[in-house]
Amino acid sequence: MRVKKPRGVFDILPDKLEKWQHLEGVVRDLAHVYGYREIRTPIFEFTELFQRGVGEETDIVAKEMYTFPDRRGRSLSLRPEGTAAVVRAFIEHNMHAWPQPVKLYYIGPMFRYDRPQAGRYRQFHQFGVEVFGCAEPAVDAEVIKLLLQFYEVLGLKGISLEISSVGCPKCRNEFTDALVSYIRPQTAGLCKDCRNRLHRNPLRLLDCKEPGCRGLLTEAPVPLNYLCPVCAAHFAALRNELLALNISYNINPHLVRGLDYYTGTSFEVMHAGIGAQNAIGAGGRYDNLVQTCGGPPTPGVGFAVGIERTLMALQDQGIGFPDAAQEGVFVVSVGEGTLRHALRVVQALREAGIRADRDYAGRGLKTQLKQAHRRGVKWVVIVGEEEISRGNVALRAMDTGEQIEVNESELIPRLRAWRA
RNA sequence: GUGGAUGUAGCUCAAGCGGUUAGAGCGCCAGACUGUGGAUCUGGAGGCUGUGGGUUCAAGUCCCAUCAUCCACCCCA
């Protein structure tokens, strides 16, 4: 039996990859302009990093990690998200001694052992930014602005931004107590999942899609009403910053992020039309994460973008990218013994930096032209016995069918002039 | 981990109630057209019908299992 790819992963073929490369270019340009520098961390880390960083109780760590022992029995895991590793690197390289804030971005594959579905894969790709060492709401606003501008540059419409604050651990504990005591008398009306959430992670009750639960929760306490004065002031200041940046948003008091490390600000960008997994980018503040991972107390804020989901959203809207057209030249040889001559022409073009290809087998002229046509090249150079005898080659424009004969030495300057 | 749908050529799909050599369109290769692409016509290659069992004289078709894909739940980007 043929070997097939594992479940939930995919190949990216050239046609598609050109879209990826365009998106990656947008990421790099934008991050650069905003003053972020790229960091690359390993694909795997000690399992403990994610247990401590992401949280042992989260589904991601509890049941979705690719975890395996290395040859000495240490437990390693493929990274399920990007932030924990960046935090580890921040600590390990003493970045707190760098000029603050430290602004980093990353782009690369992540791994989660989930059941595949629209917009969800076992190996997927994220681009994200992290800012360390500045607790100002202005930074929260900056990363949100960067996130939105990313979609804007790509041309994606129909996105919505939702923001909220889950508060610091102190506010969160108060809120959780209030929520549990509010909902406990009505436990019977909750769905099975929510009865479970009540014990494991009461916050998630707010996120339930069951109409019955939503009904019970309309009047329930929300984190925003339990913020301590500091967290409340931060959230108010963030709203002002967003206003200054002309960013429109919805406050979603039921917005809940799935990772334990979030504190305060949280936000999510959604796009309808890519299926049930409609979050295409999300993030928030994590002011305790660096310390939790063994570093000095350092505030942080960042986001992650799902690249596959973003590309899906673009496709859903029929947004094409600037065609990475098959610019280039196809060299056709005609007649006995012209293959060698065609090789020299191809080589000269390539060494001049012009994309050039040819037929290797000396097939018929018609066939070679057909090849050139199908490749979509704009120019064909015909190296034929007749032209060679005059020291020339023929240059044919495939779009107009116009064909002229030029001296071989003029070929490259001529192509260069026309390329503009 | 749970539930539903679907697996036939590279792609999109046919094949009566189980019946003889599994077809078509598109694509691919070639020829018509030994010096000119997109059109037309002709021919060719390409299949263990996802895989493994079972029922039957006979299975693409019915049954079971398994794998994969899609969709949804859980969860998340």
Side-chain angles (χ1 to χ4, degrees), chain A residues 9 17 41 85 108 126 172 188 191 193 207 211 258 262 274 286 400 412:
Chain A
V9 300
L17 190 63
T41 66
Q126 286 186 335
R172 206 188 307 190
C191 70
D193 289 324
D207 206 25
Y262 285 112
I274 58 170
Y286 43 87
T400 62
I412 288 169

Side-chain angles (χ1 to χ4, degrees), chain A residues 168-303:
Chain A
C168 59
K170 207 184 95 203
C171 342
R172 206 188 307 190
N173 281 338
E174 274 184 38
F175 160 73
T176 312
D177 291 345
L179 178 65
V180 171
S181 48
Y182 172 87
I183 210 78
R184 182 156 287 149
Q186 312 183 64
T187 307
L190 292 172
C191 70
K192 199 172 55 186
D193 289 324
C194 279
R195 286 202 289 272
N196 219 328
R197 290 180 179 119
L198 195 54
H199 309 293
R200 271 185 44 229
N201 193 348
L203 259 182
R204 297 221 65 89
L205 285 167
L206 297 176
D207 206 25
C208 189
K209 297 176 189 105
E210 285 291 326
C213 301
R214 298 194 94 130
L216 288 178
L217 287 161
T218 44
E219 302 290 317
V222 293
L224 278 178
N225 295 335
Y226 285 79
L227 296 182
C228 67
V230 173
C231 288
H234 185 97
F235 190 61
L238 169 63
R239 297 183 58 184
N240 272 325
E241 295 288 338
L242 294 176
L243 189 65
L245 286 164
N246 231 337
I247 294 170
S248 56
Y249 56 87
N250 300 317
I251 293 179
N252 178 357
H254 286 196
L255 182 65
V256 174
R257 307 240 36 82
L259 287 61
D260 279 358
Y261 53 63
Y262 285 112
T263 57
T265 307
S266 67
F267 55 90
E268 192 162 307
V269 173
M270 326 238 252
H271 187 271
I274 58 170
Q277 312 301 323
N278 60 356
I280 56 177
R285 207 161 244 297
Y286 43 87
D287 287 343
N288 298 319
L289 182 57
V290 175
Q291 195 166 17
T292 304
C293 292
T298 309
V301 61
F303 66 72

Side-chain angles (χ1 to χ4, degrees), chain A residues 329-350 356-363 368 380-385 388 392-393 408 411:
Chain A
V329 177
F330 194 81
V331 176
V332 164
S333 55
V334 193
E336 282 300 308
T338 54
L339 265 179
R340 182 58 49 83
H341 198 110
L343 168 64
R344 283 199 295 273
V345 174
V346 167
Q347 231 13 70
L349 288 166
R350 288 173 175 170
D357 224 323
R358 63 171 181 137
D359 174 69
Y360 298 104
R363 294 190 281 187
Q368 292 189 47
V380 163
V381 172
I382 298 170
V383 179
E385 282 168 320
I388 293 173
N392 295 341
V393 295
E408 227 185 296
L411 178 62

Side-chain angles (χ1 to χ4, degrees), chain A residues 88-105:
Chain A
R88 195 223 76 232
F90 178 90
I91 296 166
E92 198 152 346
H93 300 282
N94 293 316
M95 292 187 205
H96 64 272
W98 293 12
Q100 304 290 299
V102 175
K103 297 164 67 168
L104 301 169
Y105 79 96

Side-chain angles (χ1 to χ4, degrees), chain A residues 40-45 50 77-81 108-111 123:
Chain A
R40 298 193 189 182
T41 66
I43 298 292
F44 60 85
E45 299 273 354
F50 303 117
S77 292
L78 301 185
R79 60 183 188 193
E81 59 98 52
M110 308 293 164
F111 305 84
Q123 174 175 341

